[in-house]
Amino acid sequence: DFMPDDDPMKPVRLNDLGAALQLRFQDDDAPEDIEDAIVFVKRAVELTVDGDKELSSRLTNLGSSYLARSHLLGRHEDIAMAVDFAQLAVDVCHDGHHNKYACLANLGVTLRDRFRRFEERQDLDAAVEATQQAVEFAPVDHSQRMACFNNLLLSLEERFKKFDNVEDLNNIIEIKRRILELDSDGDPILLTSLVWSLSLRLERIGTMRTAMK
């Protein structure tokens, strides 16, 4: 309150305060913490000038705060706001922006969350598209590239489980193979999961051939 609005550090401080309150909310579920987090981060976004490289991060933070409140109170408008701000965070990032892959990944998670509540197919389709783009924009040698692949895998598995599309199963198998290639330790659980997916695909192919006879 003592900092003038034109102080370039004010949105930084507001965003940091909102992020801290959001973290505390995760521990204690105190409604006033998430309410205050939204107020502070929203003001941080309002004070952030166009073109500021941190705008996307603040929009993501604001969307995450609305998502957290939607989990607490179950408000439909909060999950809608969460998706809108997650999308805005992506929109303000040009293709070379260092944070674009993270914003796309966050959009995918938020859309997947909304699908789980309302089961509208377009949300899950958009989640898959966003997580696919996150993988494409993540630097090849970036430590978070594996997380992007895992996020995409979750979206594809959820869509396959719900709609039973064999093309999704094919993509699931491909993503699991790519994750194993990136993982020098070779996750035995994921390897077992890959074997199960391959077996399921063979079973589906056999069923299709039998049906065609």
Side-chain angles (χ1 to χ4, degrees):
D1 290 343
F2 296 104
M3 299 176 71
D5 286 351
D6 59 356
D7 187 325
M9 288 305 296
K10 187 165 186 175
V12 177
R13 300 286 184 245
L14 287 166
N15 184 70
D16 289 348
L17 180 56
L21 285 164
Q22 189 181 147
L23 284 173
R24 191 168 73 176
F25 169 74
Q26 292 174 7
D27 292 331
D28 58 21
D29 285 337
E32 60 270 18
D33 281 342
I34 199 61
E35 296 288 351
D36 289 342
I38 290 173
V39 171
F40 288 129
V41 181
K42 184 185 291 185
R43 186 60 179 150
V45 168
E46 291 170 352
L47 293 175
T48 303
V49 298
D50 290 340
D52 190 313
K53 65 180 182 179
E54 296 303 322
L55 179 57
S56 62
S57 295
R58 291 167 194 164
L59 286 165
T60 294
N61 195 12
L62 183 54
S64 296
S65 296
Y66 275 108
L67 185 63
R69 191 170 73 177
S70 75
H71 290 160
L72 177 69
L73 302 177
R75 294 176 180 168
H76 292 187
E77 59 268 29
D78 280 342
I79 186 65
M81 293 290 280
V83 171
D84 287 347
F85 281 117
Q87 183 64 64
L88 278 173
V90 172
D91 293 343
V92 301
C93 292
H94 56 79
D95 286 354
H97 193 286
H98 71 283
N99 203 40
K100 184 156 189 173
Y101 79 92
C103 292
L104 284 162
N106 178 70
L107 175 60
V109 169
T110 307
L111 285 163
R112 196 165 66 228
D113 190 294
R114 188 165 71 177
F115 169 77
R116 288 171 179 168
R117 299 193 208 187
F118 306 119
E119 295 195 347
E120 294 184 359
R121 173 68 182 264
Q122 62 265 29
D123 279 338
L124 192 51
D125 289 342
V128 170
E129 182 179 357
T131 50
Q132 285 175 329
Q133 291 177 350
V135 169
E136 294 169 6
F137 280 101
V140 174
D141 58 349
H142 199 285
S143 60
Q144 291 299 309
R145 186 171 173 81
M146 181 77 79
C148 290
F149 271 115
N150 281 316
N151 195 16
L152 172 57
L153 182 59
L154 287 172
S155 296
L156 286 168
E157 287 180 332
E158 184 137 359
R159 191 167 69 178
F160 175 69
K161 180 180 178 181
K162 186 68 179 179
F163 300 107
D164 200 27
N165 188 321
V166 176
E167 185 59 31
D168 282 335
L169 180 58
N170 291 334
N171 289 327
I172 286 167
I173 290 169
E174 177 61 24
I175 295 301
K176 287 179 179 177
R177 282 174 168 161
R178 294 183 70 178
I179 293 173
L180 285 167
E181 289 172 0
L182 291 172
D183 184 5
S184 58
D185 295 328
D187 183 349
I189 295 176
L190 183 59
L191 183 58
T192 300
S193 178
L194 173 59
V195 171
W196 181 86
S197 296
L198 287 165
S199 299
L200 180 59
R201 185 167 67 178
L202 284 172
E203 179 184 317
R204 292 298 175 84
I205 291 172
T207 302
M208 290 171 61
R209 286 176 175 172
T210 300
M212 292 172 64
K213 290 181 180 179

